[in-house]
Amino acid sequence: MLKPSEIDYFLNNDLANKEKRQAKIGQRYYEGKHDILNYKLYIPDKDGHYIEDTTRSNIKIPHPFFTELVDQEVQYMLSGDRPHVKSDIPELQELLDSYFDEDFDAELNDLLTGVVVKGYDYVYAYKDEDERLSFKWADGLGVIEVRAVDTDDHADYVIYHYVDRYDDDNEPIIKIQVWDKNEVGYFIKEGSKGVKKDKNVKYNPQPHVVFSKNNDDYGYGLGYIPFFRLDRNRKRTSEVFVTKPLIDDYDMMSCGLSNNLQDFAEGVWVVKNYQGEDIDELVKDVKARKAVGVDSEGGIEIKTVDIPFQARQTKLALDEDNIYRFGMGFNSQKVGDGNITNVVIKSRYTLLDLKCNKLEIKLKQLMKKLVKVVLDEINTMHGTAYSVRDVYFDFERETITNALDNAQIKGAEAQAKQTEIATLLMIAEKFDNETIVKNICEILDIDYDEIKDKLPPDDVELQGLIDDETTEGIDDISARRGEEDT
């Protein structure tokens, strides 16, 4: 187990981590805290020194495009039907559903959001009250991987830290967990003081899993560090840097327009023979009192100013298009232009599909690791021998569609089936009834075994009985299927 002084060293060293500094920028923009909020206006004073201009309007409005792009990508990734972890073995599928349920989907949502926002994030495994594996999202900004050699694939220790609360002096009290393959140690850091063991923990260090039975405590290690990392790419960079310059420019253009409208709403005041001594005093008089003092030869004129509205509007529209283009997102404002066929809608999802395909490859790599530890537990508990090869992943995504197009497609499909069935009945006399009905069942997606007992004898022509009672079974099943589809 690491010593408190070593933990303190890794915590301090982590403050200068380049990846996490970039991840914090992505987190900041996802929360709508853009650079525009720190924007200031400066003017030279009488001595030529630049000071902040507090007389002019300085409207600061962030436009959270990045928030929309992130949520759009994550929700589109998880838009398909559950479950996402599947198996063709019914018994295994039932067991997998108990692990990868709605609670897991909620943690997966947080994980994918963190990956897109920060460039990487973690999920960790733990045993619940039923001594079954469960998974929970862990904030990557609070995870430090410690390796003996930098090129190792697996960490020797994982340090997980988070701010538990703040003391009376507003100093953070940080809780720290140090994980290795068999146990976890608990530490605490209060403000600027050094790291020390957490005395409030009964067993420190303790095994990964601790339970109490009959007033006796027992525990065991999992044999692996239960933290699994998902990277967005090899460099683990946030997606924000693709569109950040464009978003900053949009903020600047939009806020600049708002400032122009605010400052020039009443025109420019031209004052002759002003009696005051300071231009700042003149501005304050105009804004607050709507009046200024002049001598007998003085006067005031108001000059209107044409604001370059069209130029700014064009630049804003260009920035918005580029944000969705280079951010590979779906711009919902472009759908309602009168051309909304399924082909057009699908083409507008192309970039988002490409982006999600890249993320899906990385996600499946992580899911294999999670499934592996789950299958190990299932095999131990049930005496089975399932492997990862028995499991596959389904992240099929759903898009909006045109209802009229869908109806026309279904109508064309139904007409094609009707033509195929009519063709089969025309040649029915050349084949036995069983062959014809099997082909009809295949076209209508009907289980042949359900209606085979109602087939007419081979010496009866099937075509002549198409409206007779012998086809009631087919008609009834087909009708039920149609109602289910509807």
Side-chain angles (χ1 to χ4, degrees), residues 130-226:
D130 298 324
E131 206 170 340
R132 288 166 51 90
L133 272 176
S134 293
F135 300 96
K136 196 170 184 63
W137 164 75
D139 187 358
L141 295 176
V143 178
I144 305 173
E145 297 183 15
V146 180
R147 292 180 173 83
V149 181
D150 290 339
T151 57
D152 285 349
D153 293 334
H154 302 285
D156 295 292
Y157 299 95
V158 164
I159 301 174
Y160 180 56
H161 62 92
Y162 59 93
V163 177
D164 183 57
R165 64 185 187 279
Y166 290 86
D167 61 17
D168 295 338
D169 297 326
N170 204 30
E171 291 286 340
I173 298 177
I174 302 174
K175 292 292 186 70
I176 305 166
Q177 303 172 7
V178 180
W179 296 73
D180 63 15
K181 293 183 178 181
N182 297 304
E183 59 184 9
V184 54
Y186 295 88
F187 301 84
I188 191 170
K189 181 179 174 67
E190 299 176 350
S192 58
K193 300 178 182 178
V195 176
K196 61 182 181 181
K197 278 195 172 186
D198 191 347
K199 296 181 180 179
N200 294 323
V201 179
K202 184 176 181 180
Y203 302 106
N204 197 2
Q206 65 183 25
H208 291 164
V209 183
V210 177
F211 286 99
S212 296
K213 282 186 178 180
N214 301 324
N215 296 324
D216 292 329
D217 296 330
Y218 72 98
Y220 56 91
L222 296 174
Y224 57 88
I225 299 178

Side-chain angles (χ1 to χ4, degrees), residues 245-475:
L246 291 168
I247 295 174
D248 289 339
D249 188 60
Y250 190 99
D251 288 343
M252 189 71 69
M253 289 295 106
S254 179
C255 294
L257 178 59
S258 297
N259 291 331
N260 291 156
L261 294 173
Q262 185 74 20
D263 288 334
F264 298 116
E266 300 176 358
V268 177
W269 293 60
V270 180
V271 182
K272 299 178 180 178
N273 296 330
Y274 174 56
Q275 291 182 341
E277 299 180 356
D278 192 348
I279 189 65
D280 291 336
E281 182 183 347
L282 170 62
V283 174
K284 290 178 181 178
D285 287 342
V286 170
K287 285 184 175 257
R289 302 183 180 87
K290 304 297 181 183
V292 293
V294 296
D295 59 19
S296 58
E297 298 180 358
I300 296 178
E301 256 182 276
I302 299 178
K303 301 285 187 181
T304 59
V305 178
D306 292 331
I307 298 174
F309 173 75
Q310 292 295 338
R312 286 189 181 275
Q313 189 178 43
T314 302
K315 186 63 172 71
L316 288 172
L318 180 62
D319 280 343
E320 181 177 350
D321 288 341
N322 286 333
I323 287 171
Y324 284 105
R325 176 187 175 189
F326 298 114
M328 302 179 74
F330 174 76
N331 190 352
S332 59
Q333 300 300 319
K334 301 296 183 181
V335 174
D337 57 0
N339 188 12
I340 52 174
T341 63
N342 284 344
V343 175
V344 173
I345 294 174
K346 186 175 181 179
S347 69
R348 289 174 179 163
Y349 275 90
T350 301
L351 291 177
L352 183 57
D353 271 318
L354 289 175
K355 183 167 62 171
C356 288
N357 287 341
K358 294 172 63 177
L359 181 60
E360 183 177 336
I361 293 173
K362 296 289 186 179
L363 177 58
K364 286 182 176 179
Q365 289 179 333
L366 173 73
M367 294 299 295
K368 283 185 178 179
K369 297 178 182 178
L370 302 185
V371 167
K372 185 178 183 302
V373 297
V374 167
L375 291 180
D376 288 343
E377 179 174 282
I378 289 175
N379 291 335
T380 301
M381 293 175 61
H382 300 276
T384 53
Y386 298 124
S387 68
V388 178
R389 292 190 297 270
D390 298 323
V391 179
Y392 63 95
F393 307 102
D394 181 12
F395 290 98
E396 184 178 354
R397 300 179 284 274
E398 293 182 356
T399 61
I400 58 175
T401 56
N402 186 315
L404 179 59
D405 274 6
N406 294 339
Q408 291 174 345
I409 291 171
K410 287 185 177 180
E413 291 175 350
Q415 188 173 6
K417 289 181 179 180
Q418 183 179 1
T419 302
E420 291 181 40
I421 294 174
T423 303
L424 286 172
L425 293 175
M426 288 176 61
I427 62 173
E429 60 183 9
K430 297 183 178 181
F431 297 94
D432 60 279
N433 291 343
E434 181 179 357
T435 301
I436 297 298
V437 175
K438 278 186 177 180
N439 281 273
I440 293 176
C441 289
E442 185 177 347
I443 294 172
L444 297 177
D445 191 22
I446 297 173
D447 187 356
Y448 171 76
D449 293 332
E450 292 184 27
I451 54 90
K452 65 180 181 180
D453 294 335
K454 297 184 180 182
L455 288 179
D458 289 338
D459 57 350
V460 178
E461 292 185 2
L462 184 64
Q463 187 175 11
L465 298 176
I466 190 62
D467 296 324
D468 208 342
E469 297 179 355
T470 53
T471 57
E472 288 182 358
I474 297 179
D475 293 338

